[in-house]
């Protein structure tokens, strides 16, 4: 398999700094295998930025399963807080995609950044949001429509940096030539609906798709940092 990806990140129109991190930071391509991640930091003006950077920098160096990479990233953030108590409370989401030579896409995920699959013109959300509101929807307490504007929609129930024992969602998807994957921080899906996300992902190149998503989120208000990673799969 061959992979081509486009990375794009923007502070948005409201925040003063960008607490998202992405790996790889530059667009590129690879044969056989690739590792891609999006992290959305939280906690103070600078701490969230530190947490997300530690997460991706640590995860990319760990040899092991995607879940082991995320667990290692969590430990690294906790160690940083132990050494610098002023950073206490910082944390981050992390959505990781490992594209393998065996024809499988392996995911590890914590938080409310998302992974989507765009196949044959159909968009499918692959990850679950680890938020209070997502739990309300799952329990039937509110509708998906109500969740979009709920005041607790960004309140996380899981994040890296908050506890030693972290629960990581792990799953696999078969790779099919022509597939397009999207990893994004919630600065995208909180501003842009599924129909428009699918429209952007329908563009010819990964680069066009990535920057059209950034533009769409900013046009809708750009209330949060916006980070996207669009990945194309080919023979």
């Amino acid at each position: 398999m061959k992979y081509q990806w486009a990375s794009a990140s923007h502070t948005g129109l409201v925040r003063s700094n960008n607490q998202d991190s992405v790996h790889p930071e530059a667009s590129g391509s690879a044969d056989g295998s690739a590792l891609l991640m999006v992290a959305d930091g939280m906690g103070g003006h600078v701490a969230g930025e530190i947490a997300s950077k530690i997460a991706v920098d640590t995860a990319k160096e760990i040899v092991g399963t995607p879940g082991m990479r995320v667990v290692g990233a969590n430990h690294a953030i906790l160690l940083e807080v132990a050494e610098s108590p002023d950073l206490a409370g910082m944390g981050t989401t992390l959505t990781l995609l490992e594209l393998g030579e065996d024809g499988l896409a392996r995911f590890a995920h914590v938080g409310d950044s998302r992974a989507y699959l765009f196949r044959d013109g159909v968009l499918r959300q692959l990850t679950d949001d680890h938020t209070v509101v997502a739990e309300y929807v799952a329990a039937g307490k509110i509708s998906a429509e109500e969740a979009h504007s709920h005041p607790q929609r960004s309140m996380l129930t899981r994040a890296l940096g908050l506890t030693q024992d972290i629960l990581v969602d792990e799953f696999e998807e078969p790779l099919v030539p022509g597939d397009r994957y999207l990893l994004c921080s919630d600065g995208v899906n909180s501003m842009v609906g599924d129909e428009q996300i699918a429209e952007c992902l329908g563009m010819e190149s990964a680069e066009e798709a990535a920057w059209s998503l950034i533009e769409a989120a900013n046009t809708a208000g750009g209330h949060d940092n916006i980070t996207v990673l669009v990945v194309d799969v080919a023979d």
Side-chain angles (χ1 to χ4, degrees):
M1 293 282 188
K2 296 181 179 180
Y3 314 108
Q4 186 166 6
W5 61 84
S7 299
S9 190
H10 195 279
T11 304
L13 305 180
V14 175
R15 302 291 177 90
S16 59
N17 68 318
N18 193 341
Q19 299 192 71
D20 292 351
S21 293
V22 61
H23 172 78
E25 292 184 352
S27 300
S29 60
D31 292 340
S33 62
L35 179 66
L36 308 110
M37 293 176 274
V38 165
D40 182 353
M42 62 183 189
H45 184 69
V46 179
E49 186 176 330
I50 294 171
S52 68
K53 188 174 190 316
I54 290 172
V56 298
D57 285 350
T58 303
K60 70 184 181 184
E61 297 300 331
I62 290 174
V63 177
T65 66
M68 291 168 63
R69 292 180 188 271
V70 175
V71 169
N74 181 57
H75 289 163
I77 294 169
L78 291 171
L79 285 173
E80 185 69 20
V81 170
E83 294 176 2
S84 303
D86 57 310
L87 297 175
M90 76 173 180
T92 185
T93 70
L94 183 58
T95 301
L96 182 152
L97 166 59
E98 189 176 272
L99 300 168
E101 296 182 2
D102 58 358
L104 289 174
R106 293 182 173 84
F107 293 85
H109 164 72
V110 174
D112 65 348
S113 298
R114 288 183 178 179
Y116 293 88
L117 170 61
F118 188 66
R119 176 182 288 169
D120 296 329
V122 177
L123 181 71
R124 177 160 62 99
Q125 183 179 331
L126 299 176
T127 51
D128 295 323
D129 295 341
H130 300 142
T131 62
V132 171
V133 164
E135 291 186 356
Y136 289 165
V137 172
K141 295 180 178 179
I142 62 173
S143 68
E145 292 73 21
E146 291 171 325
H148 192 70
S149 58
H150 196 282
Q152 293 179 307
R153 62 188 178 278
S154 296
M155 188 175 294
L156 295 174
T157 56
R158 271 192 251 171
L160 276 67
L162 304 185
T163 179
Q164 286 282 354
D165 299 319
I166 190 165
L167 181 61
V168 181
D169 289 355
E170 293 185 79
F171 58 93
E172 298 176 349
E173 285 280 330
L175 290 166
V176 177
D179 281 352
R180 175 168 281 178
Y181 286 96
L182 167 66
L183 306 184
C184 65
S185 62
D186 72 333
V188 175
N189 55 270
S190 64
M191 306 301 301
V192 184
D194 284 359
E195 186 175 339
Q196 191 172 8
I197 291 175
E199 183 179 332
C200 293
L201 289 177
M203 294 195 169
E204 184 172 353
S205 72
E207 199 77 35
E208 288 175 305
W211 285 105
S212 67
L213 286 164
I214 298 283
E215 183 178 359
N218 276 329
T219 299
H223 294 165
D224 200 352
N225 303 147
I226 310 158
T227 298
V228 302
L229 216 168
V230 178
V231 193
D232 288 340
V233 181
D235 283 322

